[in-house]
Amino acid sequence: MTQTDSNFLLDVQGVSKRFSGLQALNNVTLQIPEGSVHAIIGPNGAGKSTLLNVLIGLIEADEGTVRFDGRELRGMKPHDIIQRGIARVFQTPQIFPALSLLENVAIARLAKRDGKFAIKCVENLGPGNEVSDEAAEILTEVGLGDHVYESAQNLARGDKRRLELAVCLAAHPKLLLLDEPTAGMSRHDTNRTVELLQRISERGMTKIVIEHDMHVVFSLAEQMTVLAQGQVIASGAPADVKGDPKVIEAYLGGGPKE
Amino acid sequence: MSTEYRPHSWPREGIVLGVFAVVVFAMPWWLTWIGGYEALATKIVIWAIFALGFDILLGFTGYLSFGHAAFFGTSGYVAGLMFLHYSESIIPALLACLVVSIVLALVLGFLTLRRTGIYFAILTLAFAQMLHAAALSIFQEWTGGDNGLTMSAQPNLFGLPMDGLNVFYLAAVLVVIGFAMARQIRRSPLGLMLRSIKENQMRLEYTGVNVMAYKMTAYLISAIYAGTAGWLMVVYEPYVATKFLHWSTSGEVVIMSVIGGVNTLIGPMIGAAFMMYFENVVQSEIGELWKLVLGAIFVLIVIFLPGGFVDGYNRVRKVLGQKVPSRRHNVPDSPESMRKLRERGRTAEAGRTD
């Protein structure tokens, strides 16, 4: 097997996935050093979300290896993968609609504190409880601190994304996977989210961001990988990749969006 | 927001449980004022235990089991067989019922909890009906087949005969304990995990939570309540009817939950009282028409009061201008504690932005 470098937090080697007739991922290799921010871009259907789904065990790869923090992830149950220190923000915000924002985030704090399964029925959640208080702090950090008792379903779409981000941050993951974190947000909200993500990066959290908005990619990412038709067609620093003729042809088409 | 939030407080919890206990223990008396009788109070309390446990599954996790008669009925038969062949003491029978309920729940849960919604409902129904069919065929020798399991036993608790009011007090003590436990689960981390299953299983799994294990926990807890109720039913009347295992028993507990108010804990118990009262008192007043009237009430509630009696009560309170607390949260309502929470958060934010 491929000798892997232990300096990489995430080391994806030769991952392929075929859906009946469609080669979604073809021999994808991706190496993410600890503490870096890596962007994945590519046209619709390039396999970006599929790749993230393989990482967290939502989809099983046909071939290849996914090593995270020195351990092979393939074959592990999704909750075990997440417990090893990965969090995922989905393309469509995944939250607990009828629960309050505080409860949404408290669930992730509990999953971090107590592990994947624990019967804790003596502790009372609520003010004064460490989990509830930490959850309130995280919500304030993402800018939702004034609505902690609101039901999550009452939030605007952009705020739902922010809530999901708070849920992910509450688990203090080593690796944060963001699937279009600013999709459907206004320019103002996008800027706020980018600012928030930059702030998180300062704490050294490793991130993979799928993004269409080049402004966001250039503000956040140190490295980027371009996928097209399930294959890596370029990778490197954003400024270099931007000028790659293959990338311009496959993705940027009429020239880079600014 | 229109909803108010209430912090958890032990004195308040004591008052709630105290009032509940008084209402329950006084039932043999107040029930007679509205045409009921002592034994009906016992039946109401036993069904209330069944419905209460059912709410931990249906109300918290959203899993609609249509086969909870499996636990109620199997426990009934186990209790009957224990009285008949082992001892008329109720304690060994209870232990046997709990063991059987837990083992059965582990097996049925493993087979059914992989599916959700209608598929889960049908699977649970199918397994419960298989048990019912088995009781009437291959296990006839032990179950007494169509005649039910008859016996001339007098169950006792350390020599104290369990009949009349004694059974009632036993059931009443258990329902108060059961209610206190269910309320504690609701406000605990376990309760939050169970309630989040109904909301978004995918998010839960991808937040690092073993969803299957929590679903199984809810299923087990509800099976334990149902098993306890089945055991009590045979202590109350040492006879096991085949109906205990029949799907109509499963259906009855579903109807009790819906008309009382799913996910309210108290609602399904009120639903149980209503159903039992209807079946036993109203039936003798209006005869065969009672099923039609009950059906009509059920339809009206589902259409106009989807939250059941508890929903109706809250709506009346709102009309009267009272504050209706939200029971989904365990969070403060005092402006003081809200302010404190926010300030803590603000300090954290200020510390991080600059």
Side-chain angles (χ1 to χ4, degrees):
Chain A
M1 291 309 306
T2 329
Q3 190 63 42
T4 51
D5 192 328
S6 61
N7 288 334
F8 294 112
L9 179 67
L10 180 75
D11 192 349
V12 178
Q13 294 288 342
V15 163
S16 295
K17 175 70 195 176
R18 201 175 174 81
F19 296 119
S20 55
L22 173 78
Q23 190 74 41
L25 293 173
N26 190 358
N27 197 20
V28 171
T29 291
L30 184 69
Q31 291 180 315
I32 316 276
E34 192 155 4
S36 69
V37 180
H38 197 105
I40 298 177
I41 65 164
N44 285 329
K48 307 182 297 289
S49 291
T50 306
L51 179 59
L52 293 199
N53 287 341
V54 166
L55 298 186
I56 60 168
L58 188 57
I59 289 175
E60 210 181 319
D62 299 330
E63 284 167 58
T65 59
V66 179
R67 287 184 76 81
F68 173 72
D69 211 7
R71 281 274 295 265
E72 175 61 47
L73 294 185
R74 280 189 59 196
M76 277 170 84
K77 287 196 171 125
H79 58 253
D80 288 323
I81 293 176
I82 301 296
Q83 282 286 346
R84 294 204 57 82
I86 301 183
R88 162 91 185 260
V89 173
F90 289 88
Q91 205 170 344
T92 330
Q94 295 289 325
I95 50 170
F96 305 103
L99 302 184
S100 69
L101 305 198
L102 198 62
E103 287 174 322
N104 267 268
V105 179
I107 290 164
R109 284 298 306 146
L110 287 168
K112 174 73 180 174
R113 190 192 70 178
D114 300 338
K116 61 181 174 181
F117 178 67
I119 296 181
K120 297 252 175 171
C121 49
V122 180
E123 184 180 357
N124 296 313
L125 294 177
N129 173 275
E130 49 163 15
V131 172
S132 302
D133 288 354
E134 284 163 0
E137 280 179 26
I138 293 161
L139 281 164
T140 307
E141 193 183 343
V142 300
L144 294 169
D146 285 340
H147 309 285
V148 295
Y149 306 125
E150 186 75 58
S151 285
Q153 61 203 354
N154 298 338
L155 292 180
R157 201 181 150 82
D159 284 344
K160 282 182 182 158
R161 270 181 199 289
R162 242 195 292 275
L163 172 61
E164 195 186 22
L165 185 60
V167 170
C168 289
L169 292 178
H172 294 314
K174 290 178 193 144
L175 174 64
L176 179 61
L177 308 176
L178 300 147
D179 199 342
E180 299 189 31
T182 64
M185 281 190 183
S186 67
R187 176 54 77 192
H188 172 73
D189 278 351
T190 300
N191 290 342
R192 275 177 68 189
T193 305
V194 169
E195 212 174 278
L196 173 66
L197 292 174
Q198 281 169 338
R199 222 186 309 149
I200 296 160
S201 302
E202 284 162 22
R203 280 182 248 160
M205 192 184 287
T206 313
K207 287 199 289 290
I208 297 179
V209 188
I210 291 180
E211 189 55 76
H212 280 297
D213 189 331
M214 285 302 134
H215 162 73
V216 175
V217 171
F218 285 102
S219 319
L220 287 175
E222 296 146 12
Q223 291 288 311
M224 70 189 245
T225 295
V226 185
L227 279 182
Q229 291 167 343
Q231 273 180 302
V232 176
I233 57 167
S235 96
D240 303 336
V241 172
K242 197 179 169 187
D244 191 316
K246 263 198 291 186
V247 175
I248 294 171
E249 189 198 327
Y251 179 59
L252 301 171
K257 282 186 269 179
E258 284 305 335
Chain B
M1 281 202 69
S2 59
T3 40
E4 277 281 310
Y5 302 107
R6 238 170 2 206
H8 171 67
S9 86
W10 288 113
R12 194 175 173 282
E13 181 70 15
I15 293 169
V16 170
L17 291 175
V19 169
F20 178 74
V22 167
V23 171
V24 169
F25 275 91
M27 197 186 288
W29 291 276
W30 62 255
L31 209 55
T32 56
W33 306 339
I34 51 171
Y37 46 93
E38 205 179 279
L40 180 58
T42 314
K43 269 168 100 173
I44 286 176
V45 173
I46 292 171
W47 277 93
I49 292 172
F50 190 3
L52 181 61
F54 195 70
D55 207 31
I56 290 175
L57 183 67
L58 175 61
F60 289 6
T61 72
Y63 272 72
L64 172 59
S65 162
F66 229 92
H68 255 46
F71 306 111
F72 186 77
T74 306
S75 265
Y77 279 115
V78 169
L81 290 169
M82 288 291 284
F83 293 148
L84 210 50
H85 299 297
Y86 181 73
S87 154
E88 293 188 358
S89 169
I90 60 173
I91 301 295
L94 173 62
L95 295 179
C97 286
L98 291 180
V99 170
V100 169
S101 295
I102 289 168
V103 172
L104 190 61
L106 286 172
V107 174
L108 293 190
F110 179 79
L111 293 168
T112 59
L113 286 169
R114 292 157 192 287
R115 295 284 170 269
T116 56
I118 188 76
Y119 302 102
F120 173 75
I122 287 173
L123 275 176
T124 49
L125 172 65
F127 280 116
Q129 280 304 91
M130 278 165 63
L131 287 176
H132 181 251
L136 292 188
S137 54
I138 51 174
F139 295 125
Q140 247 190 53
E141 254 176 75
W142 295 285
T143 61
D146 283 321
N147 298 324
L149 187 59
T150 49
M151 66 195 91
S152 57
Q154 177 50 64
N156 66 79
L157 177 64
F158 305 120
L160 179 72
M162 276 292 134
D163 55 3
L165 271 181
N166 286 346
V167 188
F168 172 77
Y169 288 131
L170 174 68
V173 167
L174 288 174
V175 81
V176 173
I177 294 173
F179 187 45
M181 278 168 47
R183 285 174 64 86
Q184 179 59 46
I185 289 171
R186 185 168 59 181
R187 61 175 169 259
S188 72
L190 174 64
L192 181 56
M193 289 298 178
L194 299 187
R195 286 182 298 132
S196 61
I197 290 172
K198 182 163 62 181
E199 297 301 319
N200 191 340
Q201 286 196 34
M202 176 165 168
R203 176 29 87 198
L204 198 55
E205 181 76 22
Y206 291 97
T207 306
V209 173
N210 188 344
V211 180
M212 186 65 186
Y214 281 107
K215 285 195 278 193
M216 188 60 107
T217 306
Y219 196 68
L220 268 174
I221 294 171
S222 70
I224 288 170
Y225 276 76
T228 307
W231 163 78
L232 269 172
M233 206 61 166
V234 179
V235 173
Y236 155 72
E237 193 178 28
Y239 165 69
V240 189
T242 56
K243 187 183 179 275
F244 288 4
L245 260 183
H246 194 244
W247 69 264
S248 58
T249 298
S250 306
E252 233 170 316
V253 81
V254 173
I255 294 174
M256 287 170 180
S257 304
V258 172
I259 61 178
V262 171
N263 196 12
T264 59
L265 298 183
I266 191 81
M269 294 193 285
I270 296 171
F274 180 82
M275 283 275 285
M276 285 296 114
Y277 181 77
F278 221 88
E279 258 183 57
N280 292 279
V281 180
V282 180
Q283 182 188 10
S284 62
E285 297 291 323
I286 61 176
E288 272 308 298
L289 214 58
W290 76 277
K291 276 191 179 168
L292 192 65
V293 176
L294 186 65
I297 291 174
F298 181 69
V299 169
L300 288 175
I301 285 179
V302 170
I303 295 173
F304 297 108
L305 265 187
F309 292 143
V310 173
D311 187 17
Y313 171 71
N314 285 338
R315 286 189 196 195
V316 169
R317 284 179 71 188
K318 261 185 198 156
V319 169
L320 295 176
Q322 290 184 31
K323 288 172 185 168
V324 178
S326 160
R327 293 190 171 269
R328 290 195 309 267
H329 315 269
N330 296 294
V331 287
D333 70 334
S334 80
E336 179 60 16
S337 43
M338 286 271 284
R339 190 184 55 76
K340 270 189 191 160
L341 258 181
R342 279 186 195 163
E343 268 179 11
R344 280 189 64 153
R346 285 223 182 86
T347 329
E349 185 180 40
R352 275 170 189 144
T353 35
D354 302 311

